[in-house]
Amino acid sequence: MRREIRITEPSAEMQMKIQRACNAIASQKKRMVKCPYCHHNSIAVFEDTRGHVQAKCKACGRETVFDVLNMRRLQLPTSYKG
């Protein structure tokens, strides 16, 4: 069974919002947050991302709520040989 997907062009106002969003993140670093179940790259977040986001993993299909601020990469301690 095949569903038809209707694709339409966004309105001019929406296209302007999309362009402004792309310009806003152009100079920011992107990092990937991995799915806690299968460790597949689940979502991309930028430096100014705050709060919670919900995403469905494309690999395993599980939905997860991420607290973006608490999911930052942890700096692993470097061993000191002195």
Side-chain angles (χ1 to χ4, degrees):
M1 192 161 28
R2 190 174 177 182
R3 279 203 259 168
E4 275 196 44
I5 299 174
R6 296 180 189 162
I7 300 174
T8 61
E9 281 292 315
S11 66
E13 181 183 355
M14 181 58 71
Q15 287 179 355
M16 287 174 47
K17 289 180 181 180
I18 293 168
Q19 187 61 43
R20 278 195 303 252
C22 288
N23 292 340
I25 59 140
S27 63
Q28 294 186 18
K29 291 182 183 177
K30 174 174 74 169
R31 66 183 172 90
M32 299 303 292
V33 177
K34 296 190 180 292
C35 172
Y37 300 102
C38 69
H39 305 290
H40 179 264
N41 285 341
S42 187
I43 58 171
V45 294
F46 295 89
E47 293 173 334
D48 67 344
T49 306
R50 302 280 186 266
H52 296 82
V53 293
Q54 182 174 357
K56 182 174 180 178
C57 180
K58 291 180 182 178
C60 70
R62 293 186 179 185
E63 288 190 17
T64 307
V65 175
F66 296 98
D67 181 1
V68 177
L69 290 177
N70 291 329
M71 296 295 257
R72 297 209 184 270
R73 289 187 185 152
L74 298 175
Q75 294 287 332
L76 297 177
T78 56
S79 59
Y80 176 73
K81 295 180 183 177

